[in-house]
């Protein structure tokens, strides 16, 4: 019996922090009848009274089909009598306006009904945005047979795209799409979204229950096994505040084992044997108990007992597993067994089963998407590939676009747009300037009119512009010509060139162009120049050791000189004192090993070796070192704003870090740790992740420091290494502490503690608190259901419940006592990015009315500017 699970069950059941989205009037519902002619739209479906509308305004392609009429089709609901099928294009996408950061039940339905007379079941892939959702195989065993795919998913932006992708010879088709908003705090997952397996209630009948009886329009199917007996009540059962709101007809029925001495058992299968599952159990005592009667039973999943439970009298209650479960061989078993003191059999009113589905690929940057869609509608481009996400997945990216796709958790960016010879008319649209990372723009050989717009000069990333073969009037603006000096390659018709100007004048480019004829090569060179320029300009802003002195070995006397004979102390580390210094007029931090530290030399060597080997923007970099007899020193880049802990405790003075600033710092630190875990070969465990080891630079960029305890671990057969336990009290992974097994998940634990610090502003260990350890404190606060008192009061409530709740959940999952249950750092960074997105988008929307938003920059400038670091 794991007490933590029990506690979280409780905690989750008592939370009700997020606004109530009860959809009494189909508010927020989207019900599309695919293929419905627009002159028949909208209509009320008589059985459910749901209002369906035609899908024509949400999709560009496709044709309408009608299922074959037969006696049985009379039984088929109206939304399934017509459908849309997609003979053209590989990917066809529905584009729906939704609320960003909202939890939706999303249902797609496919009823083939031999609409094409071929009598073969269509097979195709269903995508949610850039991610695969399901490979659909529409059965044709009976005329009324269809397939329903349903997920519970939080929208990442204000557009939801549902795509059908041709995978073989059959034609994708779809009958209906339904979206229903849910309460944000219901159906939560550690990671990913929920894929529906079943919503069941217990009755021997074929009466499906959905809207309007179910306010969220979940579709409850009756189900009863041989071994069970149905019971019911006509009395009222009161709802629960946790928001699951089972319909009356569902909660007033229940199943008990027919043989009252037997347990109640239920098994189900997962599609893949390593799928994770969530179980939602609905309970209410629906029999009037006599004083001498007790109903109590143990709830066990896959043989593990979670809780002893008594249903509440005529009151609904929902229990679920807060952490996902795996089932051996994909076969899951739920067992309710009565306890010795119980004289009544176990009872279950309803059950919902889900498996976890991941949608890991980030959508393309929202501003880029808005801009390119704006361009698309301006020019009324009806290219068949221009549907769904512009950049990802790569095989479906839009024709004429090039994108920069770094990894799945980074939103892709559009970097080249080629609309040459596309029959474009009209002017060059201003929305192009919102493609802020665009490098190449080719609009040649169209019929564009108007002037060459001046805004192009402001697009700093542009390297190549081609407007030849259009009807543009006037001269190219002077500002744009100026950009040619920076290496911009500008191709315009002769009549648009001011007298005296010529093609690219940059000397370097001219030389290159003279010696190399291939245009492609010129572009490559331009890119190189661009990168070179970027580097140069960034060295001016950010302190960065020049190449020649990087990783240099220094003598002790040089170290002495650097630090003006160890004049200014910045701080004390575990194995020595950190001094402020100057190296070639640039500030550095110098850690000098104390001679009394016997252990120090090993840590010193570890750190030098590691830092010489690894380089990442979120790891503090080594400028040099000194190894001269007994005199050991490490010279690092200087981090202006010291460590994160100082900012959380207000030791730095000035205003406190705001919520988005905090999230950014956590994301960057997470990326640094992720790099150690998966970017380095061999992978490393930091072993001492804590808030004092996260340093902040001039732009408040976060870097991880102090690698003295880091160890490499091997991947493959060996999943952990045994070491002597090291680290800092409070941050130490209890599993590592107990077993001496070191895995990268130990860093995840420590990072979870840092996250808690950032969220709560609390110290990790604080004797004056009722619960002195931050973890115990947080758990007790959560179980009191008190989110506001968890959050750092210094944030002055300037955060949103969505992102703070998500961050808190993430922190709790990082500190799961069982290391295998913790997410990896890639997932952590991804989730934090999502938190930031949720918050920023909310703020953007809020600030449209007022301009009172505080930015990270505000807080930087108001923090006192005294140099200090490490
Ligand atoms: C059906 O829904 C409409 C609004 O969508 C509502 O006005 C009407 O009262 C509903 N009828 C029934 C019988 O629920
Ligand atoms: C409720 O249970 C009674 C027997 O106790 C049965 O006759 C009746 O049909 C049940 N109601 C439903 C809706 O199943
Ligand atoms: C059940 O609830 C309904 C609506 O709240 C109420 O009208 C009815 O009197 C209640 N019945 C009983 C038996 O309490
Ligand atoms: C009910 O279950 C008990 C315990 O498993 C068993 O001994 C008994 O024979 C069963 N009764 C019937 C009627 O099957
Ligand atoms: C409870 O007491 C009643 C009499 O008040 C009796 O008929 C019944 O059998 C008892 N039930 C149990 C489970 O002992
Ligand atoms: C560019 O993007 C901003 C913010 O998303 C938007 O307000 C603006 O209207 C866009 N400009 C153009 C020209 O599309
Ligand atoms: C280009 O536009 C001009 C003016 O609208 C028109 O006269 C001409 O026919 C167009 N040319 C092409 C190739 O579409």
């Amino acid at each position: 019996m794991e007490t933590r699970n029990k506690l979280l069950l409780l905690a989750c059941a008592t939370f009700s922090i997020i606004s109530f989205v009860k959809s009494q009037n189909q508010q927020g519902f989207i019900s599309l009848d695919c293929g419905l002619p627009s002159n028949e739209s909208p209509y009320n479906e008589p059985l459910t009274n749901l209002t369906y509308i035609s899908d024509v305004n949400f999709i560009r392609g496709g044709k309408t089909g009608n299922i074959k009429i037969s006696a049985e089709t009379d039984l088929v609901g109206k939304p399934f009598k017509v459908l849309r099928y997609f003979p053209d294009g590989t990917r066809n996408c529905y584009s729906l306006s939704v609320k960003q950061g909202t939890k939706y039940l999303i249902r797609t339905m496919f009823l083939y009904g031999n609409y094409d007379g071929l009598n073969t079941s269509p097979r195709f892939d269903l995508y949610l945005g850039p991610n695969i959702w399901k490979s659909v195989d529409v059965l044709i065993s009976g005329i009324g047979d269809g397939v329903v795919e349903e997920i519970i998913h939080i929208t990442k932006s204000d557009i939801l795209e549902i795509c059908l992708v041709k995978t073989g010879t059959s034609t994708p088709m779809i009958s209906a799409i339904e979206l229903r908003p849910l309460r944000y705090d219901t159906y939560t997952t550690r990671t990913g979204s929920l894929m529906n397996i079943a919503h069941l209630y217990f009755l021997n009948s074929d009466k499906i229950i959905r809207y309007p009886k179910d306010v969220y329009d979940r579709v409850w199917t009756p189900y009863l096994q041989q071994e069970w007996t149905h019971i019911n009540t006509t009395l009222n059962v009161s709802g629960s505040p946790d928001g699951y709101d089972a319909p009356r007809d569902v909660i007033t029925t229940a199943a008990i084992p027919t043989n009252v001495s037997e347990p109640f058992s239920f098994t189900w299968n997962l599609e893949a044997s390593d799928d994770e599952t969530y179980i939602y159990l609905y309970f209410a005592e629906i029999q009037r108990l006599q004083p001498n009667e007790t109903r109590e039973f143990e709830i066990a999943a896959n043989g593990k007992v979670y809780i002893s439970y008594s249903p509440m009298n005529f009151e609904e209650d929902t229990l679920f597993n807060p952490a996902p479960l795996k089932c051996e061989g994909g076969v899951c078993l739920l067992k309710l067994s009565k306890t010795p003191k119980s004289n009544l059999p176990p009872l279950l009113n309803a059950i919902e089963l889900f498996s976890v589905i991941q949608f890991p690929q980030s959508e393309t940057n929202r501003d880029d998407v808005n801009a390119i869609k704006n361009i698309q509608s301006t020019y009324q481009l009806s290219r068949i590939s221009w549907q769904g996400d512009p950049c990802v997945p790569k095989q479906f990216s839009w024709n004429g676009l090039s994108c920069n796709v770094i990894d799945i958790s980074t939103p892709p960016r559009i970097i080249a747009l080629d609309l040459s010879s596309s029959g474009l008319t009209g002017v060059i649209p201003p929305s192009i300037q919102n493609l802020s990372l665009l490098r190449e723009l080719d609009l040649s050989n169209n019929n564009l009119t108007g002037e060459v717009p001046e805004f192009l000069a402001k697009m700093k990333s542009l390297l190549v512009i081609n407007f030849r073969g259009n009807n543009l009037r006037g001269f190219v603006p002077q500002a744009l010509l100026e950009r040619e000096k920076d290496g911009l390659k500008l191709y315009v018709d002769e009549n648009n060139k001011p007298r005296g100007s010529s093609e690219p004048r940059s000397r370097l480019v001219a030389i290159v162009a003279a010696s190399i004829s291939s245009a492609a090569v010129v572009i490559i060179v331009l890119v190189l120049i661009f990168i070179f320029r970027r580097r140069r300009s960034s060295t001016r802003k950010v302190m960065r050791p020049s190449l020649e002195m990087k990783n240099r070995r220094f003598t002790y006397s040089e170290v002495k000189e650097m630090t003006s004979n160890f004049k200014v102390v910045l701080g004390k580390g575990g194995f020595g004192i950190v001094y402020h210094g100057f190296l070639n007029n640039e500030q550095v931090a110098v850690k000098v090993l104390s001679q009394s530290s016997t252990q120090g030399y090993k840590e010193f060597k570890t750190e030098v070796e590691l830092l010489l080997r690894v380089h990442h923007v979120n790891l503090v970099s080594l400028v040099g070192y000194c190894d001269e007899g007994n005199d050991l020193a490490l010279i690092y880049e200087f981090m202006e704003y010291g460590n994160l802990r100082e900012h959380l405790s207000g030791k730095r003075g000035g205003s406190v870090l705001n919520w988005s600033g905090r999230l950014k710092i956590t994301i960057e630190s997470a990326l640094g740790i992720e790099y150690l875990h998966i970017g380095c070969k061999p992978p490393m465990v930091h072993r001492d992740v804590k808030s004092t080891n996260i340093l902040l630079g001039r732009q408040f960029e976060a870097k991880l420091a102090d690698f003295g305890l880091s160890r490499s671990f091997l991947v493959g057969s060996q999943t952990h290494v045994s070491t002597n336990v090291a680290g800092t009290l409070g941050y130490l992974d209890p599993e590592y502490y107990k077993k001496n097994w070191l895995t990268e998940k130990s860093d995840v634990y420590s990072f979870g503690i840092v996250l808690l610090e950032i969220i709560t502003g609390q110290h990790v260990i604080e004797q004056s608190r009722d619960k002195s350890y931050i973890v115990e404190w947080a758990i007790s606060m959560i179980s009191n259901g008190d989110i506001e008192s968890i959050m750092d009061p210094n944030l002055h409530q300037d955060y949103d419940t969505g992102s703070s709740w998500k961050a808190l959940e993430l922190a709790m999952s990082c500190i799961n006592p069982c290391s295998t249950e913790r997410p990896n750092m890639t997932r952590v960074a991804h989730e934090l990015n999502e938190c930031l997105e949720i918050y920023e988008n909310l703020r953007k929307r809020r600030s449209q009315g007022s301009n009172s938003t505080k930015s990270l920059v505000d807080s930087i400038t108001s923090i006192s500017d005294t140099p200090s670091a490490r």
Side-chain angles (χ1 to χ4, degrees), residues 184 276 304 324 425 428 531 537 543 575 604:
Y184 196 88
E276 294 178 323
K304 185 171 155 197
T425 58
I428 294 165
I531 292 168
S537 58
M543 206 290 302
F575 306 104
F604 169 82

Side-chain angles (χ1 to χ4, degrees), residues 91 130 361 390-398 403-406:
R91 176 174 70 166
Q361 173 65 58
C391 295
V392 278
K394 262 186 178 148
Q395 70 268 31
F396 308 130
S397 70
W398 294 8
C403 300
N404 188 7
V405 182
I406 298 170

Side-chain angles (χ1 to χ4, degrees), residues 78 114 165 178 216 236 299 426 549 620 686 817:
K78 180 159 164 71
N114 197 20
V165 172
E178 298 175 343
Y216 301 118
N236 285 347
I299 302 176
M549 70 178 192
V620 77
H686 184 279

Side-chain angles (χ1 to χ4, degrees), residues 33-38 40-41 43 52-56 64 78 82:
D33 182 349
C34 303
L36 183 75
S38 41
E40 291 177 27
S41 170
Y43 67 86
Y52 284 85
I53 56 172
S54 165
D55 62 340
V56 287
T64 291
K78 180 159 164 71
V82 290

Side-chain angles (χ1 to χ4, degrees), residues 460-512:
K460 294 294 176 220
S461 54
L462 269 179
L463 301 172
V464 182
I465 297 177
N466 191 346
F467 288 150
R468 278 188 181 152
N470 283 293
N471 295 326
L472 298 170
R473 72 187 142 70
F475 295 137
V476 173
Q478 189 56 37
L480 196 53
L481 290 173
E482 291 292 318
R483 287 285 310 280
E484 290 192 317
K485 292 190 195 132
D486 300 342
L488 174 74
K489 192 104 172 138
L490 181 61
Y491 300 95
V492 288
D493 290 329
E494 284 304 316
N495 60 319
N496 301 119
K497 282 182 199 156
R499 206 175 299 234
S501 90
S502 62
E503 293 258 313
R505 285 172 302 184
S506 152
R507 206 155 54 90
L508 237 173
V509 174
I511 293 165
V512 170

